[in-house]
């Protein structure tokens, strides 16, 4: 009986998170009430509050569910990469996974760049990935390699996938193909001395190549 209650609770929690994701996807903002989420999920408001005391808790859970589902589908992360070919493979794999997740993936990509619904491990993964990409440009000055690596990390991100597919109409295959082309082109250019204007590094991000996670 206890196992049954545990499963029922998990299913109720999942229904609430999926309802929250559906509202975010439809409205493209976070302007909804807990009552609206409860009605969409088919649960009472009291049940919703038994799972999530605040909207922030519910949105955080949405981010956690996305991370769980992407990992379950085989998402490639910085820790999995050893060569540049691994990175280009990861871009293609991850783009497909983002598409497979559907509405909850789109909702997560539209979360504000703040603490609500955020990804607690994002900063560490960003540091690890930009360090990896910068290491593919050993002949380039550190500041330029870092700046290029950060830009490539952004192009390969979940958020970029969302805007390039949903706002601009590219397919997930298009996104993977173009991000990989940009990656290979920019790294090759950096290695052959074709770098951004020297002044472009003046306001560069913190040096993740040497300092690690921020």
């Amino acid at each position: 009986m206890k196992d049954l209650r545990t499963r029922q609770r998990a299913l109720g929690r999942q229904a609430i998170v999926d309802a929250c994701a559906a509202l975010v996807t439809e409205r493209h903002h976070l302007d909804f009430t807990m009552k609206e989420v409860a009605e969409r999920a088919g649960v009472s408001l009291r049940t919703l509050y038994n799972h999530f005391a605040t909207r922030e808790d519910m949105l955080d859970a949405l981010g956690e569910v996305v991370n769980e589902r992407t990992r379950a589908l085989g998402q490639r992360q910085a820790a999995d990469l050893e060569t540049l070919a691994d990175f280009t493979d990861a871009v293609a794999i991850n783009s497909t996974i983002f598409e497979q997740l559907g509405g909850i993936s789109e909702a997560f990509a539209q979360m504000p760049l703040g603490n609500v619904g955020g990804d607690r491990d994002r900063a560490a993964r960003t540091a690890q990935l930009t360090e990896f990409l910068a290491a593919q440009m050993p002949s380039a000055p550190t500041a330029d390699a870092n700046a290029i690596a950060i830009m490539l990390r952004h192009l390969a991100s979940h958020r970029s996938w969302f805007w390039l597919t949903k706002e601009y109409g590219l397919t997930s295959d298009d996104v993977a193909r173009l991000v990989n082309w940009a990656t290979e082109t920019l790294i090759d250019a950096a290695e052959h001395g074709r770098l951004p204007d020297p002044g472009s590094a003046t306001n560069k991000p913190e040096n993740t190549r040497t300092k690690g996670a921020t």
Side-chain angles (χ1 to χ4, degrees), residues 87-123:
F87 175 75
T88 55
D89 287 345
V91 170
I93 291 168
N94 292 348
S95 292
T96 299
I97 289 171
F98 298 154
E99 187 77 38
Q100 287 178 329
L101 285 180
I104 197 167
S105 175
E106 296 178 27
F108 183 64
Q110 295 176 78
M111 290 294 178
L113 293 174
N115 293 327
V116 177
D119 181 346
R120 294 184 179 91
D121 298 326
R122 181 182 176 86

Side-chain angles (χ1 to χ4, degrees), residues 92 95-96 99 161 165 170-179:
S95 292
T96 299
E99 187 77 38
W161 165 84
T165 57
L170 296 179
T171 67
S172 290
D173 287 343
D174 287 336
V175 171
R177 182 170 54 88
L178 293 170
V179 170

Side-chain angles (χ1 to χ4, degrees), residues 16-32 36-37 40 55 58-59 62-63 66 69 98-112 158 161-163 165-167:
I16 292 167
V17 171
D18 285 338
C20 174
L23 287 170
V24 174
T25 301
E26 290 172 9
R27 299 181 181 184
H28 306 296
H29 55 66
L30 305 183
D31 185 16
F32 55 82
E36 287 176 317
V37 175
R40 177 64 66 94
R55 279 166 46 94
M58 183 171 56
L59 291 167
L62 191 155
V66 168
R69 291 185 183 179
F98 298 154
E99 187 77 38
Q100 287 178 329
L101 285 180
I104 197 167
S105 175
E106 296 178 27
F108 183 64
Q110 295 176 78
M111 290 294 178
H158 191 171
W161 165 84
F162 172 78
W163 288 109
T165 57
K166 306 308 174 186
E167 178 71 11

Side-chain angles (χ1 to χ4, degrees), residues 136-177:
Q136 310 307 308
M137 300 171 268
S139 299
T142 297
D144 287 312
N146 278 333
I148 293 168
I150 289 170
M151 186 178 73
L152 292 174
R153 186 267 180 272
H154 174 69
L155 286 175
S157 70
H158 191 171
R159 195 177 299 272
S160 288
W161 165 84
F162 172 78
W163 288 109
L164 290 171
T165 57
K166 306 308 174 186
E167 178 71 11
Y168 298 112
L170 296 179
T171 67
S172 290
D173 287 343
D174 287 336
V175 171
R177 182 170 54 88

